[in-house]
Structure formats: structure tokens, C-alpha cells
Amino acid sequence: MALRLLSKLNVRPELRGVVNLSSAAAPATLSDFDVQHKTPVVRKQHLVPKAHYGGRHAVTMLPGGGIGPECMGYVRDIFKYIGAPVDFEVVDIDPNVDNDEDVQYAITTIKRNGVCLKGNIETKSEAAYVTSRNIALRNSLDLYAYVLHCKSFPGITTRHKDIDIHIIRQNTEGEYAMLEHESVQGVIESMKVVTASNSERVARFAFEFAKRNNRKKVTTVHKANIMKLSDGLFLETSRRLAKEYPDIEHNDMIIDNCCMQLVSKPHQFDVMLMTNLYGSIVSNVVCGILGGAGLHSGRNYGDHYAVFEPGTRNTGTAIAGKNIANPIAMINASVDMLEHLGHHFHADLIKAAVAKTINEDHIMTPDLGGTASSTDVVKAIIDNIDMCIKNKVSFH
Amino acid sequence: MSLLTRNVCRALMQGTYMTHMGKGVHTTSVNADKNVCYAPHSISTLQSSSTEGRIKCTLIPGDGVGPELVYSVQEVFKAADIPVDFESFFFSEVNPTLSAPLEDVVNSIARNKCCIKGILATPDFSHTGELQTLNMKLRNALDLYANVVHVKSLPNVKSRHRDVDCIIIREQTEGEYSALEHESVPGVVECLKIITAAKSERIAKFAFDYAVKMGRKKVTAVHKANIMKLGDGLFLRSCEEMAKLYPRLQFEKMIVDNCSMQMVSNPNQFDVMVTPNLYGNIVDNLASGLVGGAGVVAGASYSAECAVFEQGARHIFSGAVGKNIANPTAMLLCSANLLAHVNLHPYSRMIKNAINKVLTDGKVRTKDLGGQSTTKDFTNAVIHCLTTS
């Protein structure tokens, strides 16, 4: 009882650690501290049947903070309009509270629905013992692979044209292991964890992905010249797996060189495979090249669950509520989700309408150099959906 | 017999007629109401192959009064100009020579992903020695494992209890209905009741997900685990296990005999109920009786891919065949639920509103609700309310 009370109060982190370690007998409810310190190995999941009834899917929706809620509103408008057979279960997460109850509930709903569409969740607290909620979510669902498809929109003027890169990123360990401590006063150590099992999983994912999507080349991005053991392991694993896929060309590149190549000659890249932090950097670089944060969508995959979100994980708090946020990223995420669920008819429809809105009609929000508001863009997309149906030719 | 054949023929002809009716323009009365018609009627579809925007739906008129009720649905659909085409099958166990083969019906439902079905009569004795009924074969072939019956008091329908509103979810592919019976020694018959963890988990998950979707608060598992400790025990444990994934829903369990008593004495305490096969059947009928009988309660069966909409309490009402007195409310509600399922919400709402209006006015009542009106009168009243709403 005393332990319970202690963990309810916001006690100091080291004390919380002790409390939770001693209550190891009751692991059913994991505290944030436990989540932070779980080993980054493959998690056992108890599988339950997916929520798929009468051809309709239930999907968890986490609007998150900043522009998340408004973008989700646009997605729901479009889904309602085309009658996509998806029922959303919305879970709101209060950014201001310190406890993890909402996040744990969100994770539970994803476990039973199997699929989630999410905005970026805010973690307001900067206290050391409060984990980032996005990371807690990815870790406890064991979403080890992140896929970002960066493809140029012909209608957007950018420095480079016709870019088509898939970025695959290890999503649960590496620099995001969140194991930091002060060993001596004034000296802080942050651990980067690379495990053979997770490296192998994500590398296999990348090669399988390349094979299934008819890609030619996989590039492993690393810094093994400096971090010879950790990045070395990652690189070695991907080299070993490359031998199993002789049809796919494999090369590797050091992260600093990779960034330079990306901004100068991005066409040499096809599928890119990297660890967590490099993935974060590279995906933002590529999105920047292609027109900013508001366009591309990312997919998080585990063995059993899939979470779809806008590609660059920004909250966009500054532009929230001003009706200027770019809704395309979230709409693209919802298209990815429909494709994952197998509703290709609806996915193709939205995709064609989005492409037409940007490439032909040039209706864009200010971040892409346009003048339209978010609602204008959504309205244009809905009109284009109508048009696509009438023509029945603009999509196959 | 001749009456039955006549009805069947009428329903079939109606079905084909609807199919060929073609791509009529939508009624202005529907499109004019901008408030309810947000979704365009042209593209709301579950069937990804259909780009023309018309829904294809399998139609099984069934036995007894089924064809009359289905005819009433078709009349209403025609009047509202609803973009649904029916693929009609005569499917019957009591009339095996005329019945369409099971495979055809199953293929049609699997392709269309939705179906409206009247009630199939099941003979008490099997002539062929087969233990499975046609209903069971259809359910097993399509894996229609979850049966949902939404028992809700209707306006102006006299009943003992007011404001009953509960959802009964029943597993319907195993349990007592496994059709495994044998005579081990002459005079001793064993009937096997099969409960599996996989199917129990699946139905429990369905019930909780349905509760979440409908915004309900409580799920009650109905069981008899005090006697059948292993079989029903497994079902109950699966429900308890699944309840942990839904911390925001209240979960409770109730023994089936107590549940029956509570249902007739205090039905308002129930919200969503999840039951194994036979108990579900009994509780369904019990609850339907509370709100006005078989003629007013709609139900549906779901598999992962398909949905079959049928009456909640399955009675063929053979005494009324051809007399034009059966109550079409249940079937019309089924059709409204079907429309909601395939994203044609405005139409669904229109039919539901019309039914409510007719019942509230109370001028047109069929015999089971204490009136003297015929099925046709009721249908016409609903159609009338459609056009004026």
C-alpha cells in the first residue's frame, strides 16, 4: 500500500526506480520508468483477434497535439465523404498530466485494433523520469521498423526533381534507448544500444521491402568508423543479410557523407537503411528537400501492429488553429493506412485526388508557396474525388 | 403451399426487376435535404470492385412470411430510389427441390459482402440424417460467427417495460450447435457442446469492440460455468481475459438462469451482453418478447468480411403466410441497418425516421401491435412518411 501511494505521488526519479524494482512481482502495470528500462529485445505479445467485422475495420486515432486534431478532422471529413469502411476509436491524450494512464490506454486500444493513425503526441514535461510518449508507444508495441516514402510531387518546385527514396529506420533502440545517467557529478553518460536481434529484424525488413517493391539497391547508413562496435554490428548484420538477397545491390555510406550526398545528388539513393537517430536526421533532410514537413507520411511496423503518422514528427504547435497547416501529410498517412487494411479502392481514390490537387490544380498551403488555407485544400481534394469518380480514368 | 409459391415467385420477380431497373437518378427529395446528405450516394461502397456506386446485395426471402416482408423492403427501397441492387435466391430447407444450391448463395454473399435474409424454417426431424440445418451450414460456410440483436423499445409499442435498450451478442458457430450427436448405446444419446478458446476470445473481442463502437458502458457475459465448469468456464475466462484490454468498459458476469429472470424483471440494467450459442438464442427471444415480439426486432450476423442482416428473433410465422398481417418493422429496420453498414447513412436515417414516425402516429398498426392494418398498409405508411420527410 505504501508503495502504491509513493508511486502515485511524483516522487524523485531514483526513488521511483527503487519502488518499481521492488514491486517486480506485479509486472502487469508497467510504470513509465519500467518502460524506459525495459531491454530492447523482441517483446512477446499476446495476440488477440483483429477488429475486423463485416468488412469494416476499427482503427485507433490519436489526434495528438498541435495541428494533429485539425488534420484528423480533415481526414475524417474525407473518409466520411468517400464512405471508407473504417470506424475510428479516438483516444485523446492530455499533454499536461504527468502520469501515463492515457498513453497506456492508447497502447491497449492499438493492441486490440491492430492499426493506429496518429498525430504527434506532446510530452510537455521535461522531468527526467517522464518518457516521451511517442517513444513509449513505439517501444511497448515493438514497432521496430519505420518506413518513410519520399517521392517528389511534380507540382511543387524544389531544387531536385523526381526523387523516390524509401527510408527505413530502426525505431526502438540505438540512441533512443533512453538510458542516461550521471556517473560522477558533472559527467553524464548516454547509452546507445544496438542489438543483433533488432538489427537483423530491421535489415531483413529492409531487404524484404526492397524485394517486394521491386527496388534495386539498399544503402546502409552508419558511423562505423567512429562507433566501431555498435554501428559496426549494425553494418555487419546488414552486410550478412545482403548476401541472402543477391538480386539487390547493397552498399553502405557514412552518415555525414550521406547527408552531403542527399542534398547534392539525391538520385543515387533507392532504399536507405539506418539506425534510429540517423533515421530521424535523414528523414527530415529528405523531407526538407522535397517541400517540408507537411507532405510525406511515415509508417511504423512491428510484427503485429502498424502505426501511421505524418513523416516528420513535428507537432506544429505554432500554427495550430490558424487554418494554414498542411493537411497533406496526415491525408497521406490515412492513405497508407487504407492500403495496409486492403481498401485499395478508397486509397487509390484519395491518392489520385491529392495528386491532382497539388500537381494540376496547384492548390497548396503557404508552406509550399501557395495561398490556400487548410480547409481550401481539403475542399479541393473532396471536389477532385468527385471528379475522379465521374471520369473513372484518372486512377486505374 | 400455393400461397408460398406465389409469394416466392413474386419476390423473385421483384428481385430481378430491381436488378434491371438500372441507374435511375436520385430523388430530388433526398438530395434537397442538405443537412443529412453529406455523403454522396454515388460512391459509398464496401465493394471495392464497384465503381458505379450501386451496392449489390444478396437477398434471401426465406420461408413463412419472409417473402412478404422482403417484398415490403423492396417496395420501400424502390420508393426511396435507394442505389441497391438485389441478387435474389430462393433458399429453403423445407423445399429442397426449389432451393438454390448452398455454394451459389455463399459465393454471392462472399462477393457482395452483404445480405438481407428472411427466416429459414428448420424441420424438427432430419429426412436425410444430416444433423446440420441449412442455417448452420450457411453460417459455417461464411464463418458468420457473431450474431448481434439490438433490442430497443419502439415508440408507441405497448410492452411491459419501457426504455429497454440492450445489445445481445451471440456466438453462433460452435457450442450446442456443433451438430455432433450420436447414440453410443441404444437408448443413450450424447450431444456434444464444443467450446474453443479461439472462438470464445473472438466473440468476446467482438462484443467489447461493438460496445466501444456504439459508445456503451457495460458488457455482461452470460454463462453457466457453475455447472459446466470446463466448457462455459473457458468461455467465461476468455471474456475476463479480454475485459482487461478494455479498462474503460465495465465488465460483469451473470449465470444464464438468473439472467433470464433479471431480463424479464429489470431489463434496463443490461447494456451489452455476450453469450455462447444456445443461451444467446434464448436470451434473444426473451428480450425480443419484452419489446413487442419477433416483428419489431432487427438483428445481424457478422463474419470478418460479410454481414447478413436478418430478424432478431427467428420465427417463420407460418400461420400468417399469405394473410398479409405480418409486421414488416423488423425487416425494414434490418434494411436500414444494412444501409448504414454500407455507408449510405442518409438513406438509413430516412427509413428509420419514417418507421418511427409511423409508429409514433400509431394510426397504422399491424395485428401483433394491437391494430388491424395489413403488411401492405404499414409499408405504404412508411413510404408515405419517406416522401414527406
Short mmCIF file of all heavy atoms in Angstrom, two decimals, chain B residues 135-156:
data_model
loop_
_atom_site.label_atom_id
_atom_site.label_comp_id
_atom_site.label_asym_id
_atom_site.label_seq_id
_atom_site.Cartn_x
_atom_site.Cartn_y
_atom_site.Cartn_z
N ASN B 135 -29.39 -23.27 -42.11
CA ASN B 135 -28.93 -22.06 -41.44
C ASN B 135 -27.52 -22.23 -40.93
O ASN B 135 -26.65 -21.38 -41.10
CB ASN B 135 -29.84 -21.77 -40.25
CG ASN B 135 -30.64 -20.51 -40.45
OD1 ASN B 135 -30.17 -19.60 -41.11
ND2 ASN B 135 -31.83 -20.47 -39.90
N MET B 136 -27.29 -23.37 -40.25
CA MET B 136 -25.98 -23.62 -39.68
C MET B 136 -24.93 -23.78 -40.76
O MET B 136 -23.81 -23.32 -40.64
CB MET B 136 -26.02 -24.87 -38.80
CG MET B 136 -26.55 -24.58 -37.40
SD MET B 136 -27.39 -25.97 -36.69
CE MET B 136 -26.07 -27.08 -36.34
N LYS B 137 -25.34 -24.45 -41.85
CA LYS B 137 -24.38 -24.63 -42.96
C LYS B 137 -23.97 -23.27 -43.52
O LYS B 137 -22.80 -23.05 -43.81
CB LYS B 137 -25.02 -25.47 -44.06
CG LYS B 137 -25.02 -26.95 -43.78
CD LYS B 137 -25.52 -27.70 -45.00
CE LYS B 137 -26.13 -29.01 -44.61
NZ LYS B 137 -27.07 -29.49 -45.62
N LEU B 138 -24.96 -22.41 -43.69
CA LEU B 138 -24.66 -21.09 -44.24
C LEU B 138 -23.71 -20.32 -43.32
O LEU B 138 -22.73 -19.73 -43.75
CB LEU B 138 -25.97 -20.31 -44.42
CG LEU B 138 -25.85 -18.94 -45.08
CD1 LEU B 138 -25.48 -19.10 -46.53
CD2 LEU B 138 -27.15 -18.17 -44.96
N ARG B 139 -24.02 -20.37 -42.01
CA ARG B 139 -23.17 -19.66 -41.06
C ARG B 139 -21.76 -20.22 -41.05
O ARG B 139 -20.78 -19.49 -41.02
CB ARG B 139 -23.74 -19.81 -39.65
CG ARG B 139 -24.88 -18.91 -39.38
CD ARG B 139 -25.36 -19.14 -37.98
NE ARG B 139 -26.81 -19.11 -37.94
CZ ARG B 139 -27.53 -19.76 -37.04
NH1 ARG B 139 -26.93 -20.51 -36.13
NH2 ARG B 139 -28.82 -19.66 -37.05
N ASN B 140 -21.67 -21.55 -41.08
CA ASN B 140 -20.33 -22.13 -41.03
C ASN B 140 -19.56 -21.86 -42.30
O ASN B 140 -18.36 -21.60 -42.26
CB ASN B 140 -20.43 -23.64 -40.78
CG ASN B 140 -20.84 -23.92 -39.35
OD1 ASN B 140 -20.61 -23.10 -38.47
ND2 ASN B 140 -21.46 -25.06 -39.12
N ALA B 141 -20.27 -21.92 -43.43
CA ALA B 141 -19.58 -21.70 -44.70
C ALA B 141 -19.01 -20.29 -44.78
O ALA B 141 -17.92 -20.07 -45.29
CB ALA B 141 -20.54 -21.94 -45.86
N LEU B 142 -19.75 -19.32 -44.25
CA LEU B 142 -19.28 -17.94 -44.31
C LEU B 142 -18.57 -17.52 -43.04
O LEU B 142 -18.08 -16.40 -42.94
CB LEU B 142 -20.47 -17.00 -44.55
CG LEU B 142 -21.07 -17.03 -45.94
CD1 LEU B 142 -22.44 -16.39 -45.92
CD2 LEU B 142 -20.17 -16.32 -46.91
N ASP B 143 -18.53 -18.40 -42.07
CA ASP B 143 -17.95 -18.09 -40.76
C ASP B 143 -18.64 -16.87 -40.13
O ASP B 143 -17.99 -15.97 -39.60
CB ASP B 143 -16.45 -17.86 -40.87
CG ASP B 143 -15.78 -17.90 -39.51
OD1 ASP B 143 -16.34 -18.54 -38.61
OD2 ASP B 143 -14.71 -17.30 -39.34
N LEU B 144 -19.96 -16.85 -40.20
CA LEU B 144 -20.72 -15.75 -39.59
C LEU B 144 -20.80 -16.04 -38.10
O LEU B 144 -21.77 -16.63 -37.62
CB LEU B 144 -22.12 -15.70 -40.19
CG LEU B 144 -22.22 -15.31 -41.66
CD1 LEU B 144 -23.56 -15.68 -42.20
CD2 LEU B 144 -21.97 -13.83 -41.82
N TYR B 145 -19.78 -15.66 -37.38
CA TYR B 145 -19.69 -16.14 -36.01
C TYR B 145 -20.43 -15.28 -35.00
O TYR B 145 -20.78 -15.73 -33.93
CB TYR B 145 -18.23 -16.30 -35.59
CG TYR B 145 -17.43 -15.02 -35.56
CD1 TYR B 145 -17.34 -14.29 -34.40
CD2 TYR B 145 -16.77 -14.55 -36.68
CE1 TYR B 145 -16.60 -13.13 -34.35
CE2 TYR B 145 -16.03 -13.40 -36.65
CZ TYR B 145 -15.95 -12.69 -35.49
OH TYR B 145 -15.23 -11.54 -35.45
N ALA B 146 -20.65 -14.02 -35.33
CA ALA B 146 -21.23 -13.13 -34.33
C ALA B 146 -22.64 -12.72 -34.73
O ALA B 146 -22.86 -12.21 -35.82
CB ALA B 146 -20.37 -11.90 -34.16
N ASN B 147 -23.59 -12.96 -33.86
CA ASN B 147 -24.95 -12.51 -34.10
C ASN B 147 -25.25 -11.36 -33.14
O ASN B 147 -25.02 -11.47 -31.94
CB ASN B 147 -25.92 -13.67 -33.87
CG ASN B 147 -27.34 -13.26 -34.15
OD1 ASN B 147 -28.10 -12.94 -33.25
ND2 ASN B 147 -27.70 -13.23 -35.42
N VAL B 148 -25.71 -10.28 -33.70
CA VAL B 148 -25.99 -9.09 -32.89
C VAL B 148 -27.49 -8.81 -32.96
O VAL B 148 -28.04 -8.69 -34.05
CB VAL B 148 -25.23 -7.87 -33.41
CG1 VAL B 148 -25.54 -6.66 -32.57
CG2 VAL B 148 -23.75 -8.13 -33.43
N VAL B 149 -28.12 -8.71 -31.81
CA VAL B 149 -29.52 -8.32 -31.79
C VAL B 149 -29.65 -7.10 -30.90
O VAL B 149 -29.25 -7.12 -29.73
CB VAL B 149 -30.41 -9.46 -31.24
CG1 VAL B 149 -31.85 -8.99 -31.13
CG2 VAL B 149 -30.34 -10.66 -32.14
N HIS B 150 -30.12 -6.02 -31.50
CA HIS B 150 -30.28 -4.79 -30.74
C HIS B 150 -31.73 -4.69 -30.30
O HIS B 150 -32.61 -4.44 -31.13
CB HIS B 150 -29.87 -3.61 -31.60
CG HIS B 150 -29.72 -2.36 -30.80
ND1 HIS B 150 -29.08 -1.25 -31.27
CD2 HIS B 150 -30.11 -2.06 -29.56
CE1 HIS B 150 -29.10 -0.31 -30.34
NE2 HIS B 150 -29.73 -0.77 -29.30
N VAL B 151 -31.97 -4.94 -29.02
CA VAL B 151 -33.33 -4.93 -28.50
C VAL B 151 -33.61 -3.54 -27.96
O VAL B 151 -32.98 -3.10 -27.01
CB VAL B 151 -33.50 -5.98 -27.39
CG1 VAL B 151 -34.92 -5.96 -26.88
CG2 VAL B 151 -33.14 -7.35 -27.91
N LYS B 152 -34.55 -2.86 -28.60
CA LYS B 152 -34.79 -1.47 -28.22
C LYS B 152 -36.29 -1.22 -28.24
O LYS B 152 -36.96 -1.62 -29.18
CB LYS B 152 -34.11 -0.56 -29.24
CG LYS B 152 -33.95 0.86 -28.80
CD LYS B 152 -33.00 1.57 -29.76
CE LYS B 152 -32.58 2.92 -29.25
NZ LYS B 152 -33.62 3.90 -29.13
N SER B 153 -36.77 -0.58 -27.20
CA SER B 153 -38.20 -0.26 -27.17
C SER B 153 -38.52 0.72 -28.29
O SER B 153 -37.79 1.68 -28.50
CB SER B 153 -38.58 0.38 -25.83
OG SER B 153 -38.32 -0.51 -24.79
N LEU B 154 -39.61 0.45 -28.98
CA LEU B 154 -40.00 1.35 -30.05
C LEU B 154 -41.10 2.26 -29.55
O LEU B 154 -41.86 1.91 -28.64
CB LEU B 154 -40.50 0.53 -31.25
CG LEU B 154 -39.40 -0.21 -31.99
CD1 LEU B 154 -39.97 -1.28 -32.88
CD2 LEU B 154 -38.57 0.76 -32.80
N PRO B 155 -41.21 3.45 -30.14
CA PRO B 155 -42.24 4.38 -29.66
C PRO B 155 -43.64 3.80 -29.90
O PRO B 155 -43.90 3.22 -30.96
CB PRO B 155 -42.01 5.62 -30.53
CG PRO B 155 -41.24 5.14 -31.71
CD PRO B 155 -40.41 4.01 -31.22
N ASN B 156 -44.47 3.93 -28.91
CA ASN B 156 -45.89 3.59 -29.08
C ASN B 156 -46.15 2.09 -29.26
O ASN B 156 -47.20 1.71 -29.72
CB ASN B 156 -46.46 4.33 -30.29
CG ASN B 156 -47.77 4.99 -29.93
OD1 ASN B 156 -48.29 4.73 -28.84
ND2 ASN B 156 -48.30 5.80 -30.81
#
